Amino acid sequence: MKADSQNVTDYTNDNTIFMVWDFKDNLDVKDVFSKLCKLLINLNNSVNVRFPVSRASCVMGIGHDAWLRLDLPGPLPKELVNFTPIAGSKHRAVSTRGDLHFHIRADNTSICYDMASAITDVLSPVAVSTEEIHGFRYWDSRTILGFVDGTENPQGQDRELFSMVGDEDAAYKGGSYLFVQKYVHNLTSWKELSTEQQEKVIGRSKANDIEMADDVKPANSHIALANVGDDLKIVRDNMPFGNMSTNEMGTYFIAYASTFTTVQKMLNNMFIGSPAGNYDRILDFSTAKTGSLFFVPTFNMIDDFSA
Protein backbone atom coordinates (compact mmCIF):
# COMPACT_ATOMS: atom_id res chain seq x y z
CA MET A 1 0.00 0.00 0.00
CA LYS A 2 1.34 3.44 -0.91
CA ALA A 3 2.34 5.43 2.18
CA ASP A 4 -0.37 8.07 1.80
CA SER A 5 -3.14 5.86 0.41
CA GLN A 6 -6.13 4.77 2.42
CA ASN A 7 -6.27 1.09 3.32
CA VAL A 8 -7.89 -0.33 0.19
CA THR A 9 -5.44 -3.20 -0.35
CA ASP A 10 -5.90 -5.08 2.92
CA TYR A 11 -7.59 -8.47 2.98
CA THR A 12 -11.08 -8.88 4.40
CA ASN A 13 -11.34 -8.75 8.17
CA ASP A 14 -13.57 -10.63 10.59
CA ASN A 15 -15.85 -7.68 11.38
CA THR A 16 -16.94 -4.80 9.20
CA ILE A 17 -19.35 -1.88 9.35
CA PHE A 18 -20.34 -0.24 6.08
CA MET A 19 -22.06 3.15 6.31
CA VAL A 20 -23.52 5.44 3.65
CA TRP A 21 -24.32 9.04 4.60
CA ASP A 22 -26.21 11.73 2.67
CA PHE A 23 -25.91 15.42 3.45
CA LYS A 24 -29.07 17.26 4.47
CA ASP A 25 -30.33 19.98 2.14
CA ASN A 26 -29.77 23.69 2.66
CA LEU A 27 -26.97 23.36 5.19
CA ASP A 28 -23.35 24.45 5.08
CA VAL A 29 -21.48 21.16 5.41
CA LYS A 30 -17.91 22.28 4.71
CA ASP A 31 -16.88 22.92 8.32
CA VAL A 32 -18.24 19.57 9.46
CA PHE A 33 -16.49 17.83 6.58
CA SER A 34 -13.22 19.48 7.59
CA LYS A 35 -13.67 18.12 11.13
CA LEU A 36 -14.54 14.72 9.68
CA CYS A 37 -11.30 14.63 7.69
CA LYS A 38 -9.30 15.41 10.83
CA LEU A 39 -11.21 12.67 12.64
CA LEU A 40 -10.55 10.12 9.90
CA ILE A 41 -6.80 10.68 10.08
CA ASN A 42 -6.94 10.49 13.88
CA LEU A 43 -8.97 7.30 13.93
CA ASN A 44 -6.60 5.46 11.60
CA ASN A 45 -3.49 6.64 13.44
CA SER A 46 -5.01 5.79 16.81
CA VAL A 47 -6.05 2.22 16.02
CA ASN A 48 -2.66 1.50 14.48
CA VAL A 49 -0.95 2.57 17.71
CA ARG A 50 -3.45 1.14 20.20
CA PHE A 51 -4.29 -2.10 18.41
CA PRO A 52 -1.39 -2.84 16.05
CA VAL A 53 -2.42 -6.45 15.38
CA SER A 54 -6.14 -5.79 14.92
CA ARG A 55 -5.83 -4.88 11.22
CA ALA A 56 -8.20 -2.01 11.92
CA SER A 57 -8.88 0.86 9.53
CA CYS A 58 -11.56 3.22 8.29
CA VAL A 59 -11.73 4.09 4.58
CA MET A 60 -13.80 7.05 3.38
CA GLY A 61 -15.17 7.47 -0.15
CA ILE A 62 -16.78 10.62 -1.55
CA GLY A 63 -19.60 10.67 -4.11
CA HIS A 64 -19.77 12.89 -7.21
CA ASP A 65 -22.43 15.31 -5.95
CA ALA A 66 -20.81 15.60 -2.54
CA TRP A 67 -17.47 16.39 -4.20
CA LEU A 68 -19.11 19.33 -5.95
CA ARG A 69 -21.10 20.48 -2.92
CA LEU A 70 -17.96 20.45 -0.77
CA ASP A 71 -16.12 22.43 -3.45
CA LEU A 72 -13.28 19.92 -3.52
CA PRO A 73 -10.49 20.29 -6.11
CA GLY A 74 -11.24 20.16 -9.81
CA PRO A 75 -11.19 18.74 -12.28
CA LEU A 76 -12.76 15.72 -10.58
CA PRO A 77 -11.23 12.25 -10.79
CA LYS A 78 -11.70 11.26 -14.44
CA GLU A 79 -14.31 8.54 -13.85
CA LEU A 80 -16.12 9.91 -10.81
CA VAL A 81 -19.77 10.21 -11.90
CA ASN A 82 -23.18 9.36 -10.53
CA PHE A 83 -23.68 5.67 -11.26
CA THR A 84 -26.14 5.12 -14.12
CA PRO A 85 -28.61 2.23 -13.66
CA ILE A 86 -28.09 -0.83 -15.84
CA ALA A 87 -31.28 -2.44 -17.12
CA GLY A 88 -31.09 -5.94 -18.50
CA SER A 89 -33.90 -8.01 -19.97
CA LYS A 90 -34.80 -9.37 -16.52
CA HIS A 91 -32.68 -7.72 -13.82
CA ARG A 92 -31.61 -4.17 -13.00
CA ALA A 93 -28.56 -2.67 -11.30
CA VAL A 94 -30.17 0.24 -9.48
CA SER A 95 -28.52 3.57 -8.75
CA THR A 96 -28.85 5.05 -5.27
CA ARG A 97 -27.58 8.27 -3.76
CA GLY A 98 -24.45 8.25 -1.65
CA ASP A 99 -22.51 11.30 -0.50
CA LEU A 100 -20.04 9.58 1.81
CA HIS A 101 -19.16 5.93 2.32
CA PHE A 102 -17.27 4.45 5.26
CA HIS A 103 -15.65 1.02 5.30
CA ILE A 104 -14.74 0.23 8.90
CA ARG A 105 -13.01 -3.03 9.76
CA ALA A 106 -11.12 -4.72 12.59
CA ASP A 107 -10.61 -8.10 14.20
CA ASN A 108 -12.38 -6.70 17.28
CA THR A 109 -16.01 -5.61 16.92
CA SER A 110 -15.57 -3.01 19.67
CA ILE A 111 -13.08 -1.07 17.54
CA CYS A 112 -15.53 -0.96 14.64
CA TYR A 113 -18.31 0.22 16.92
CA ASP A 114 -16.25 3.04 18.42
CA MET A 115 -15.09 4.30 15.03
CA ALA A 116 -18.66 4.26 13.69
CA SER A 117 -19.86 6.07 16.80
CA ALA A 118 -17.23 8.80 16.46
CA ILE A 119 -18.13 9.37 12.80
CA THR A 120 -21.81 9.54 13.69
CA ASP A 121 -21.20 12.14 16.38
CA VAL A 122 -19.54 14.43 13.85
CA LEU A 123 -21.84 13.87 10.87
CA SER A 124 -25.31 13.57 12.37
CA PRO A 125 -25.98 17.35 12.64
CA VAL A 126 -25.63 17.78 8.86
CA ALA A 127 -26.19 14.34 7.34
CA VAL A 128 -28.37 11.24 7.52
CA SER A 129 -27.13 7.66 7.60
CA THR A 130 -29.07 5.89 4.84
CA GLU A 131 -27.38 2.51 5.05
CA GLU A 132 -25.56 0.65 7.79
CA ILE A 133 -24.47 -2.94 7.26
CA HIS A 134 -22.67 -5.03 9.86
CA GLY A 135 -20.72 -7.63 7.95
CA PHE A 136 -18.98 -10.68 9.33
CA ARG A 137 -16.72 -13.46 8.11
CA TYR A 138 -18.85 -16.51 7.40
CA TRP A 139 -16.77 -19.64 7.91
CA ASP A 140 -13.88 -19.72 5.40
CA SER A 141 -14.87 -16.45 3.65
CA ARG A 142 -18.13 -17.80 2.24
CA THR A 143 -21.27 -15.89 1.33
CA ILE A 144 -24.60 -16.79 2.89
CA LEU A 145 -25.20 -18.77 -0.31
CA GLY A 146 -22.49 -21.15 0.88
CA PHE A 147 -19.75 -20.52 -1.70
CA VAL A 148 -16.30 -19.04 -1.08
CA ASP A 149 -16.17 -15.38 -2.15
CA GLY A 150 -13.19 -13.46 -3.52
CA THR A 151 -11.15 -16.34 -4.93
CA GLU A 152 -10.38 -14.31 -8.07
CA ASN A 153 -9.05 -11.36 -6.08
CA PRO A 154 -5.56 -10.18 -7.03
CA GLN A 155 -2.86 -11.10 -4.55
CA GLY A 156 0.26 -9.39 -3.23
CA GLN A 157 1.48 -6.32 -5.11
CA ASP A 158 -1.20 -6.82 -7.77
CA ARG A 159 -3.76 -5.57 -5.26
CA GLU A 160 -2.20 -2.12 -5.43
CA LEU A 161 -1.97 -2.25 -9.23
CA PHE A 162 -5.64 -3.05 -9.72
CA SER A 163 -7.10 -1.00 -6.86
CA MET A 164 -5.27 2.34 -7.14
CA VAL A 165 -5.20 5.10 -9.74
CA GLY A 166 -1.85 5.44 -11.49
CA ASP A 167 -0.15 7.98 -13.72
CA GLU A 168 -3.13 8.12 -16.08
CA ASP A 169 -4.74 10.59 -13.64
CA ALA A 170 -1.70 12.02 -11.87
CA ALA A 171 -3.60 14.44 -9.64
CA TYR A 172 -5.39 11.49 -8.02
CA LYS A 173 -2.61 8.91 -8.08
CA GLY A 174 -2.89 6.55 -5.12
CA GLY A 175 -6.63 7.09 -4.81
CA SER A 176 -9.25 4.49 -5.70
CA TYR A 177 -12.68 4.16 -7.24
CA LEU A 178 -15.11 2.53 -4.83
CA PHE A 179 -18.32 0.90 -6.01
CA VAL A 180 -20.83 -0.73 -3.66
CA GLN A 181 -24.04 -2.72 -3.98
CA LYS A 182 -26.20 -4.26 -1.28
CA TYR A 183 -27.49 -7.62 -2.51
CA VAL A 184 -30.33 -9.43 -0.75
CA HIS A 185 -30.58 -13.18 -1.39
CA ASN A 186 -33.71 -15.26 -1.86
CA LEU A 187 -32.52 -18.15 0.26
CA THR A 188 -35.80 -20.02 -0.01
CA SER A 189 -35.45 -20.37 -3.78
CA TRP A 190 -31.71 -20.96 -3.52
CA LYS A 191 -32.10 -23.84 -1.10
CA GLU A 192 -34.55 -25.52 -3.44
CA LEU A 193 -31.66 -26.10 -5.85
CA SER A 194 -29.49 -29.18 -5.50
CA THR A 195 -25.80 -28.67 -4.77
CA GLU A 196 -25.02 -29.54 -8.39
CA GLN A 197 -27.48 -26.91 -9.64
CA GLN A 198 -26.03 -24.30 -7.28
CA GLU A 199 -22.53 -25.07 -8.54
CA LYS A 200 -23.65 -24.45 -12.11
CA VAL A 201 -25.04 -21.05 -11.09
CA ILE A 202 -21.70 -20.07 -9.51
CA GLY A 203 -19.26 -21.94 -11.75
CA ARG A 204 -17.33 -23.47 -8.86
CA SER A 205 -17.55 -26.50 -6.62
CA LYS A 206 -19.22 -25.72 -3.32
CA ALA A 207 -17.15 -27.83 -0.94
CA ASN A 208 -13.60 -27.14 -2.11
CA ASP A 209 -13.94 -23.99 -4.24
CA ILE A 210 -12.53 -25.36 -7.50
CA GLU A 211 -13.49 -23.54 -10.71
CA MET A 212 -15.21 -25.62 -13.38
CA ALA A 213 -13.35 -26.29 -16.60
CA ASP A 214 -14.30 -23.94 -19.43
CA ASP A 215 -16.00 -26.71 -21.40
CA VAL A 216 -18.17 -27.55 -18.38
CA LYS A 217 -18.81 -24.14 -16.84
CA PRO A 218 -22.19 -22.71 -17.96
CA ALA A 219 -21.93 -19.52 -20.04
CA ASN A 220 -24.39 -17.79 -17.69
CA SER A 221 -22.57 -18.77 -14.48
CA HIS A 222 -21.37 -16.04 -12.17
CA ILE A 223 -17.70 -16.89 -12.69
CA ALA A 224 -18.03 -16.88 -16.48
CA LEU A 225 -19.58 -13.39 -16.58
CA ALA A 226 -18.09 -11.54 -13.61
CA ASN A 227 -14.48 -12.24 -14.57
CA VAL A 228 -13.61 -9.97 -17.48
CA GLY A 229 -9.95 -10.85 -17.98
CA ASP A 230 -6.64 -11.13 -16.14
CA ASP A 231 -5.79 -7.53 -17.08
CA LEU A 232 -9.09 -6.20 -15.70
CA LYS A 233 -9.37 -7.01 -12.02
CA ILE A 234 -10.70 -5.35 -8.88
CA VAL A 235 -10.12 -5.80 -5.16
CA ARG A 236 -13.33 -7.15 -3.65
CA ASP A 237 -13.97 -6.77 0.07
CA ASN A 238 -17.43 -8.32 0.05
CA MET A 239 -18.97 -9.29 3.37
CA PRO A 240 -22.09 -11.28 4.23
CA PHE A 241 -24.76 -9.91 6.55
CA GLY A 242 -27.96 -11.28 7.98
CA ASN A 243 -30.99 -10.34 10.04
CA MET A 244 -33.18 -13.19 11.15
CA SER A 245 -36.11 -11.03 12.27
CA THR A 246 -36.47 -9.31 8.88
CA ASN A 247 -35.24 -12.30 6.86
CA GLU A 248 -32.81 -9.98 5.09
CA MET A 249 -29.78 -12.08 4.24
CA GLY A 250 -27.27 -10.86 1.73
CA THR A 251 -23.87 -9.81 0.51
CA TYR A 252 -22.45 -6.30 0.56
CA PHE A 253 -20.48 -6.06 -2.66
CA ILE A 254 -17.61 -3.60 -2.40
CA ALA A 255 -15.02 -3.08 -5.12
CA TYR A 256 -11.88 -0.97 -5.06
CA ALA A 257 -10.53 -0.32 -8.55
CA SER A 258 -7.98 1.74 -10.42
CA THR A 259 -10.67 2.50 -12.98
CA PHE A 260 -14.45 2.31 -12.80
CA THR A 261 -14.49 1.10 -16.41
CA THR A 262 -13.49 -2.35 -15.18
CA VAL A 263 -16.40 -2.51 -12.74
CA GLN A 264 -18.77 -1.19 -15.42
CA LYS A 265 -17.77 -4.00 -17.78
CA MET A 266 -18.40 -6.58 -15.07
CA LEU A 267 -21.82 -5.14 -14.30
CA ASN A 268 -22.79 -5.01 -17.97
CA ASN A 269 -21.86 -8.66 -18.34
CA MET A 270 -23.87 -9.60 -15.29
CA PHE A 271 -27.04 -7.60 -15.86
CA ILE A 272 -27.23 -7.25 -19.65
CA GLY A 273 -25.34 -10.42 -20.49
CA SER A 274 -22.57 -11.50 -22.82
CA PRO A 275 -24.04 -11.79 -25.37
CA ALA A 276 -27.10 -9.69 -24.47
CA GLY A 277 -29.71 -11.81 -22.74
CA ASN A 278 -27.15 -14.24 -21.31
CA TYR A 279 -27.30 -12.59 -17.87
CA ASP A 280 -25.65 -13.81 -14.68
CA ARG A 281 -27.79 -16.61 -13.27
CA ILE A 282 -26.97 -15.58 -9.71
CA LEU A 283 -29.25 -12.56 -10.20
CA ASP A 284 -32.24 -14.89 -10.15
CA PHE A 285 -31.45 -15.36 -6.46
CA SER A 286 -29.73 -12.08 -5.52
CA THR A 287 -31.33 -8.65 -5.91
CA ALA A 288 -29.29 -5.44 -5.97
CA LYS A 289 -30.95 -2.96 -3.60
CA THR A 290 -28.34 -0.21 -3.88
CA GLY A 291 -25.64 0.95 -6.28
CA SER A 292 -23.28 3.89 -5.65
CA LEU A 293 -19.90 5.07 -6.90
CA PHE A 294 -17.38 6.95 -4.74
CA PHE A 295 -13.78 8.10 -4.94
CA VAL A 296 -11.33 7.31 -2.15
CA PRO A 297 -8.77 10.14 -1.89
CA THR A 298 -5.30 9.72 -0.41
CA PHE A 299 -4.56 10.79 3.15
CA ASN A 300 -2.55 13.70 1.74
CA MET A 301 -5.71 14.95 0.04
CA ILE A 302 -7.78 14.35 3.17
CA ASP A 303 -5.25 16.37 5.13
CA ASP A 304 -5.67 19.19 2.62
CA PHE A 305 -9.46 18.92 2.92
CA SER A 306 -9.18 19.32 6.71
CA ALA A 307 -7.42 22.68 6.50
Side-chain angles (χ1 to χ4, degrees), residues 42-263:
N42 182 268
L43 288 175
N44 281 282
N45 288 340
S46 177
V47 294
N48 284 330
V49 171
R50 296 169 62 208
F51 311 105
V53 298
S54 70
R55 296 173 55 235
S57 63
C58 176
V59 175
M60 179 178 71
I62 306 169
H64 173 272
D65 290 353
W67 194 285
L68 296 178
R69 181 170 175 180
L70 292 165
D71 197 25
L72 299 182
L76 276 66
K78 289 182 178 179
E79 296 191 24
L80 180 58
V81 296
N82 286 319
F83 175 60
T84 302
I86 301 173
S89 58
K90 187 174 180 181
H91 301 289
R92 179 179 177 88
V94 299
S95 174
T96 51
R97 179 183 170 185
D99 285 339
L100 299 174
H101 184 281
F102 298 92
H103 178 189
I104 303 168
R105 51 187 163 183
D107 286 339
N108 189 316
T109 308
S110 301
I111 301 173
C112 294
Y113 174 85
D114 281 354
M115 286 196 286
S117 177
I119 290 168
T120 299
D121 287 344
V122 171
L123 269 180
S124 56
V126 299
V128 176
S129 179
T130 58
E131 194 71 73
E132 181 176 324
I133 299 293
H134 291 237
F136 61 94
R137 183 185 295 277
Y138 185 55
W139 297 114
D140 49 338
S141 293
R142 294 177 184 264
T143 70
I144 299 297
L145 298 178
F147 285 77
V148 175
D149 194 12
T151 304
E152 294 296 322
N153 259 351
Q155 302 295 318
Q157 293 183 346
D158 282 347
R159 293 176 74 82
E160 182 177 306
L161 172 67
F162 289 112
S163 67
M164 295 182 184
V165 174
D167 292 331
E168 70 280 0
D169 195 0
Y172 295 100
K173 186 175 181 178
S176 299
Y177 291 95
L178 164 63
F179 182 75
V180 299
Q181 290 175 303
K182 173 185 174 182
Y183 283 92
V184 174
H185 305 316
N186 184 339
L187 290 181
T188 300
S189 296
W190 179 251
K191 290 176 180 179
E192 291 175 352
L193 300 181
S194 66
T195 298
E196 182 181 4
Q197 289 172 323
Q198 291 179 358
E199 290 175 338
K200 289 180 178 178
V201 171
I202 302 298
R204 287 185 177 276
S205 60
K206 190 171 186 178
N208 53 9
D209 189 39
I210 296 176
E211 185 174 346
M212 292 180 177
D214 289 342
D215 59 345
V216 176
K217 185 192 315 169
N220 65 349
S221 66
H222 179 61
I223 297 299
L225 291 169
N227 295 331
V228 292
D230 291 339
D231 295 330
L232 296 172
K233 287 184 177 291
I234 60 174
V235 171
R236 296 174 177 84
D237 273 320
N238 305 350
M239 293 292 275
F241 63 89
N243 189 310
M244 300 299 172
S245 64
T246 62
N247 196 34
E248 188 178 62
M249 313 292 178
T251 299
Y252 197 81
F253 171 71
I254 173 169
Y256 291 112
S258 60
T259 168
F260 180 63
T261 302
T262 300
V263 183

